[in-house]
Amino acid sequence: MKNQKKQIKALVVLTCAVLFGAVASQAQALDRPIKIGVLSDMSGPYADQAGLGSVEAAKMAIEDAGGKIDGQPIELVSADHQHKTDVATSIVRHWIDVDGVDVIADMPNSGVALAIQALVKEKNKIALFATAATTELTGKQCSPNGIQWVYDAYSNAAGLAKALVAKGDKSWYFLTVDYALGISLQNEAVKAITALGGTVVGSVRHPLNNPDFSSFLLQAQASNAKVIALANAGSDTINSVKQAGEFGLTKDHVIVAPLVYISDIHSMGLPMAHGLTYIEGFYWDLNDDTRAWSKRFFERRKAMPTMTHAGVYSEVAHYLKAVKAAGTADSQAVLAKMREMPVDDFFSRGGTIRKDGRMAHDMLLVQVKSPEESKYPWDYYKVLATLPADQAFRPLSESECPLVKQ
């Protein structure tokens, strides 16, 4: 009798567990639209590198996913963060709390990105960073809810510094934009320079979206450094390179910019930009797959995509594949699938998402062609080398991310 009662009790417990599991599974299933938010710079210094091009890339990823998953529509919202953390967090809070947005993409401006990283962790949503470069996103301020997709200060600044110091350019001076991006770019470059026996003779910081670099460039010239490094991006890089040429600094100094986009080269023109060498995350003319996607993008935007635009497509497309595979938009289930599946598309072949939130993929060392070398529109780069993922990004063994040690 006792054994029979035990068997009945066990059966009841098992039945309840099965029913509870079914209810829980049903609650997690897709029963509402999947919502994606592109938070970008629509009108400021990074508008050409990200901005409306990032929105268009996200639209392309949604279209290529069929516009629906399990019958639920995929919806897109976008906004301009204006390079203000309070504006950005207000937008994202409304997106999450009122509009039901599941994932935030792009986010040029490292200060904004760090603020959103903290917010999406609090709200248990997902952030996919295509444009922010600070290594803090995968370092001390890493999050299980954030993934840095395209590049970072280590890949672009340290990689470039190593290449130049190795060939004898050992004395450096930095013009650095005065917020998290510039500080991170300079710090990573300085570590690489000093580790290889180079020296940093000085630095100066300038405001974001600065029109006049004359005083900063004169200080750099007076330093007698061999290399003048522009630790900035977007219109700041364009203006500082142009003004360096006007001051004649290119005759006696090596001008480098760790973070350059193809839109910058298009704006400067090959006569001004030729010879610039830097690290790239994507080049439209690399192979048949990159050309095919880029020509589709060009038809819509009348400009070739930057590495940010390609990265936004890749991260949104990978997110949607993970939602479909998981059968739910639940953040943790989707993140688990994103980490489980390789990132395999025109942007990355066999990319992996590491414990620290870095999507590791191959990077390119490129040099800008001269006008004579360029044979057709947007034929701007010579690819000097491909940097394997395990060399392009900071090794996990050196990571300060708490998640790596768990």
Side-chain angles (χ1 to χ4, degrees), residues 22-35 68-75 100 102 125 323 326-330:
V23 171
S25 175
Q26 187 176 11
Q28 294 297 324
L30 279 172
D31 57 359
R32 59 176 179 79
I34 301 103
K35 295 190 177 182
K68 293 181 180 180
I69 297 178
D70 293 346
Q72 294 296 331
I74 305 165
E75 299 178 359
D102 299 291
K125 296 298 180 178
V323 171
T328 175
D330 173 74

Side-chain angles (χ1 to χ4, degrees), residues 19 51 59 74 86 100 106 108 119 139 154 156 196 243 260 286 290 333 350 394:
L19 288 173
K59 287 179 180 177
I74 305 165
D86 58 339
D106 198 13
L119 180 56
Y154 181 93
N156 284 43
L196 293 171
Q243 291 171 35
V260 180
L286 185 65
T290 59
R394 189 192 308 281

Side-chain angles (χ1 to χ4, degrees), residues 169-302:
D169 296 328
K170 294 190 173 184
S171 63
W172 290 58
Y173 188 96
F174 285 86
L175 266 71
T176 302
V177 63
D178 193 12
Y179 79 101
L181 164 68
I183 294 165
S184 190
L185 285 170
Q186 180 176 332
N187 287 345
E188 295 299 341
V190 168
K191 289 175 190 175
I193 292 162
T194 54
L196 293 171
T199 58
V200 177
V201 300
S203 65
V204 64
R205 292 188 184 179
H206 68 79
L208 178 66
N209 205 15
N210 186 56
D212 184 5
F213 287 86
S214 55
S215 63
F216 306 120
L217 290 167
L218 289 172
Q219 291 179 60
Q221 187 176 35
S223 74
N224 292 319
K226 176 65 174 175
V227 179
I228 298 175
L230 309 173
N232 50 27
S235 61
D236 286 329
T237 301
I238 294 167
N239 289 334
S240 48
V241 169
K242 286 182 176 179
Q243 291 171 35
E246 292 167 3
F247 276 95
L249 269 66
T250 53
K251 295 177 182 178
D252 302 314
H253 303 269
V254 176
I255 309 296
V256 300
L259 190 52
V260 180
Y261 304 82
I262 197 167
S263 55
D264 301 335
I265 304 306
H266 190 69
S267 179
M268 292 180 215
L270 294 183
M272 177 66 69
H274 80 273
L276 272 177
T277 302
Y278 50 93
I279 308 295
E280 257 281 4
F282 170 82
Y283 181 40
W284 77 269
D285 205 13
L286 185 65
N287 55 49
D288 289 344
D289 290 338
T290 59
R291 281 188 285 272
W293 183 83
S294 298
K295 287 175 181 177
R296 287 176 56 204
F297 182 92
F298 187 89
E299 288 173 1
R300 302 165 76 127
R301 292 292 301 163
K302 306 309 175 189

Side-chain angles (χ1 to χ4, degrees), residues 28 124 126 319 322-323 325-341:
Q28 294 297 324
N124 191 30
I126 299 173
Y319 168 80
V323 171
T328 175
D330 173 74
S331 294
Q332 294 308 314
V334 174
L335 284 162
K337 283 294 181 184
M338 291 182 76
R339 295 187 184 100
E340 176 185 312
M341 301 186 300

Side-chain angles (χ1 to χ4, degrees), residues 68-149:
K68 293 181 180 180
I69 297 178
D70 293 346
Q72 294 296 331
I74 305 165
E75 299 178 359
L76 180 70
V77 295
S78 61
D80 186 347
H81 58 48
Q82 302 173 40
H83 294 277
K84 297 175 181 177
T85 55
D86 58 339
V87 171
T89 53
S90 177
I91 291 168
V92 173
R93 280 188 187 278
H94 187 276
W95 277 355
I96 293 171
D97 295 341
V98 179
D99 298 334
V101 168
D102 299 291
V103 58
I104 318 298
D106 198 13
M107 287 167 283
N109 188 305
S110 291
V112 165
L114 289 167
I116 301 307
Q117 173 111 304
L119 180 56
V120 296
K121 182 180 179 182
E122 172 195 331
K123 299 289 186 178
N124 191 30
K125 296 298 180 178
I126 299 173
L128 304 174
F129 305 102
T131 321
T134 178
T135 51
E136 284 298 296
L137 287 168
T138 56
K140 291 179 180 179
Q141 298 186 54
C142 69
S143 165
N145 294 65
I147 302 172
Q148 197 170 19
W149 207 265

Side-chain angles (χ1 to χ4, degrees), residues 53-74:
S54 293
V55 176
E56 201 64 47
K59 287 179 180 177
M60 292 171 70
I62 292 169
E63 290 168 13
D64 288 351
K68 293 181 180 180
I69 297 178
D70 293 346
Q72 294 296 331
I74 305 165

